[in-house]
Amino acid sequence: MFHKIIKNQRGKLSKFIDQLNVDDEIFYNEDIIEGWSTHFHQLAKKIPNPNYDNEYLELIENEAKIIIDICKQRFNHCPITNKEMEKAISDLNRNKAVDYFGINAENIIHGGKQLQQYLQLLFDKSFEFGCISDILKIGILFPVYKNKGDIKVLKTTVVLP
């Protein structure tokens, strides 16, 4: 998509543009992708700002740690029971598309007791430590036409927790 936008902006001149300048370094032809990578990695670097109040940031980070510690002390996780796990698996929606890793509900439903035990352990540990692995947060979003408006204009709604 990004490549298409750049190509459209270049228009008819795209045949003549075969280099990219990034911080006095010139990238040619096949190396242009490496140049883009270098450019965007530099954008993500933290640059010290003399006007930034580091004392305030440290104070806020300490307060956040205190709040997290209080929440962890008050939270008492009760392990997930086998019955709860079985019910959750049986309630999964069938005939849905696969996820990012190619797994669908049928894989979990027919995965057997051993898969159920591993999932139960994963969920229990996630609740116990108060975090969810980033790998479980990956998803695929497909815009679906709902017979409203122009079919050429895709609209998506993303609901974040």
Side-chain angles (χ1 to χ4, degrees), residues 73-140:
Q73 289 170 3
R74 290 185 180 178
F75 179 71
N76 184 19
H77 169 63
C78 298
I80 299 169
T81 65
N82 290 336
K83 193 172 188 176
E84 289 172 324
M85 218 36 216
E86 289 168 5
K87 177 161 178 22
I89 289 174
S90 69
D91 288 347
L92 288 174
N93 264 339
R94 298 170 188 254
N95 300 320
K96 294 290 182 176
V98 296
D99 70 358
Y100 181 80
F101 301 102
I103 300 170
N104 61 18
E106 284 84 3
N107 297 132
I108 296 171
I109 292 168
H110 301 295
K113 283 285 185 193
Q114 192 171 14
L115 177 61
Q116 177 184 325
Q117 289 172 346
Y118 284 124
L119 289 174
Q120 193 170 338
L121 178 64
L122 173 70
F123 298 146
D124 275 333
K125 291 297 178 186
S126 292
F127 288 132
E128 182 182 335
F129 294 116
C131 66
I132 297 174
S133 172
D134 289 339
I135 203 163
L136 295 175
K137 298 176 187 177
I138 298 172
I140 302 172

Side-chain angles (χ1 to χ4, degrees), residues 2-144:
F2 183 71
H3 180 267
K4 285 181 182 180
I5 293 170
I6 297 297
K7 188 175 180 180
N8 286 342
Q9 287 180 338
R10 290 179 177 173
K12 294 180 181 179
L13 295 176
S14 64
K15 296 176 185 172
F16 304 108
I17 299 173
D18 59 355
Q19 70 181 34
L20 176 68
N21 298 325
V22 178
D23 288 340
D24 300 327
E25 186 176 352
I26 300 174
F27 296 90
Y28 295 98
N29 299 325
E30 297 85 25
D31 296 331
I32 288 178
I33 296 296
E34 185 181 331
W36 279 112
S37 176
T38 302
H39 170 70
F40 284 106
H41 275 95
Q42 289 174 354
L43 288 178
K45 286 183 182 175
K46 290 184 179 180
I47 299 172
N49 184 341
N51 298 324
Y52 195 74
D53 189 352
N54 287 319
E55 290 176 18
Y56 181 71
L57 175 63
E58 188 176 324
L59 181 69
I60 295 300
E61 286 176 343
N62 288 336
E63 286 181 6
K65 286 176 187 174
I66 291 169
I67 292 170
I68 290 169
D69 289 341
I70 290 170
C71 292
K72 283 182 178 180
Q73 289 170 3
R74 290 185 180 178
F75 179 71
N76 184 19
H77 169 63
C78 298
I80 299 169
T81 65
N82 290 336
K83 193 172 188 176
E84 289 172 324
M85 218 36 216
E86 289 168 5
K87 177 161 178 22
I89 289 174
S90 69
D91 288 347
L92 288 174
N93 264 339
R94 298 170 188 254
N95 300 320
K96 294 290 182 176
V98 296
D99 70 358
Y100 181 80
F101 301 102
I103 300 170
N104 61 18
E106 284 84 3
N107 297 132
I108 296 171
I109 292 168
H110 301 295
K113 283 285 185 193
Q114 192 171 14
L115 177 61
Q116 177 184 325
Q117 289 172 346
Y118 284 124
L119 289 174
Q120 193 170 338
L121 178 64
L122 173 70
F123 298 146
D124 275 333
K125 291 297 178 186
S126 292
F127 288 132
E128 182 182 335
F129 294 116
C131 66
I132 297 174
S133 172
D134 289 339
I135 203 163
L136 295 175
K137 298 176 187 177
I138 298 172
I140 302 172
L141 177 66
F142 289 104
V144 177

